[in-house]
Amino acid sequence: EPEVTQTPSHQVTQMGQEVILRCVPISNHLYFYWYRQILGQKVEFLVSFYNNEISEKSEIFDDQFSVERPDGSNFTLKIRSTKLEDSAMYFCASSDLRTMNTEAFFGQGTRLTVV
Amino acid sequence: GESVGLHLPTLSVQEGDNSIINCAYSNSASDYFIWYKQESGKGPQFIIDIRSNMDKRQGQRVTVLLNKTVKHLSLQIAATQPGDSAVYFCAALDSARQLTFGSGTQLTVLP
């Protein structure tokens, strides 16, 4: 069964450092997303990406965040200067919405801990 | 209502009983409503969706009901099993293909 894979599974970084979270979406999917979940809270939308550009982003996704699809398989989330409050689980997801398939497939997540 | 911080709504059911998990939404413009299941340490997993012009949709052991009048969505799980223990989120999909998740309900299945 196809799946979204994320690396690393856990990242510890010092405040102010840059981190890059990596994702490999499902190969024939066209829409890619990043979500974040602070411990014990709901999943929050960060950004969606389609046709090599950001299609939507939330208030959380400020200038410290960026996304990139550097090649045909990877999708990355970069946080330029991490803050303590960036500590959370970050989930990548992908979907194929050409046929109105609403099912977004989520990866296992990267736990980011900022110290 | 909304839950904040660590205080997720909880639901405990006996194994074999039916479970009903509820969700309220605010955006009437959503195209689809979707239920996700999240097990500990994992990402959300799609369970079932319902288009906004439908009232009911059934899957394997699950039924989703949509009441647009009161903006209410429910997930019914028949014959709940231990493997159903997880946090369940409802989510709304808008025309921009953005998912907005609800707060989640922790379902615990008792032996």
Side-chain angles (χ1 to χ4, degrees):
Chain A
E1 186 175 323
E3 60 179 11
V4 176
T5 56
Q6 290 185 242
T7 54
S9 57
H10 192 184
Q11 173 93 42
V12 181
T13 188
Q14 287 200 323
M15 190 169 55
Q17 295 296 304
E18 174 183 287
V19 294
I20 298 177
L21 310 183
R22 303 181 189 279
C23 170
V24 179
I26 293 173
S27 61
N28 62 344
H29 284 184
L30 300 178
Y31 292 82
F32 314 116
Y33 314 86
W34 282 100
Y35 288 83
R36 135 185 129 173
Q37 185 177 32
I38 295 171
L39 183 63
Q41 298 188 24
K42 63 182 178 181
V43 178
E44 300 174 291
F45 171 78
L46 293 178
V47 66
S48 60
F49 192 86
Y50 170 72
N51 200 27
N52 288 319
E53 61 182 18
I54 291 174
S55 55
E56 296 288 334
K57 60 183 180 179
S58 71
E59 296 175 348
I60 303 168
F61 195 88
D62 61 21
D63 292 343
Q64 293 298 313
F65 291 87
S66 63
V67 290
E68 196 175 37
R69 187 155 164 81
D71 52 43
S73 60
N74 291 285
F75 181 52
T76 63
L77 174 70
K78 181 192 289 186
I79 309 175
R80 288 188 184 83
S81 179
T82 50
K83 303 184 287 290
L84 294 176
E85 54 265 38
D86 293 327
S87 295
M89 282 289 287
Y90 287 81
F91 293 106
C92 173
S94 70
S95 66
D96 177 1
L97 293 173
R98 287 173 295 180
T99 57
M100 296 304 291
N101 178 5
T102 59
E103 183 173 356
F105 290 80
F106 282 77
Q108 298 280 59
T110 293
R111 179 171 297 284
L112 176 65
T113 303
V114 182
V115 296
Chain B
E2 287 288 327
S3 293
V4 177
L6 300 177
H7 302 290
L8 284 177
T10 59
L11 175 66
S12 296
V13 299
Q14 292 291 136
E15 182 178 352
D17 286 353
N18 297 334
S19 304
I20 300 177
I21 302 171
N22 297 302
C23 176
Y25 65 91
S26 57
N27 184 4
S28 300
S30 299
D31 293 333
Y32 283 86
F33 298 92
I34 307 164
W35 282 100
Y36 282 88
K37 172 185 179 183
Q38 187 177 26
E39 295 174 285
S40 180
K42 296 184 178 180
Q45 181 183 8
F46 174 93
I47 303 173
I48 190 170
D49 64 5
I50 186 168
R51 195 165 184 171
S52 58
N53 62 355
M54 298 171 64
D55 299 320
K56 179 179 180 179
R57 188 168 187 214
Q58 286 185 292
Q60 187 178 14
R61 278 202 310 119
V62 294
T63 301
V64 56
L65 299 177
L66 177 62
N67 185 331
K68 294 180 284 296
T69 303
V70 295
K71 298 183 180 179
H72 183 267
L73 186 71
S74 69
L75 176 71
Q76 300 177 5
I77 305 173
T80 314
Q81 302 169 0
D84 295 327
S85 292
V87 177
Y88 289 81
F89 292 95
C90 65
L93 185 69
D94 62 24
S95 58
R97 300 302 178 219
Q98 175 179 324
L99 281 170
T100 302
F101 283 82
S103 301
T105 296
Q106 172 71 60
L107 175 66
T108 302
V109 181
L110 305 171

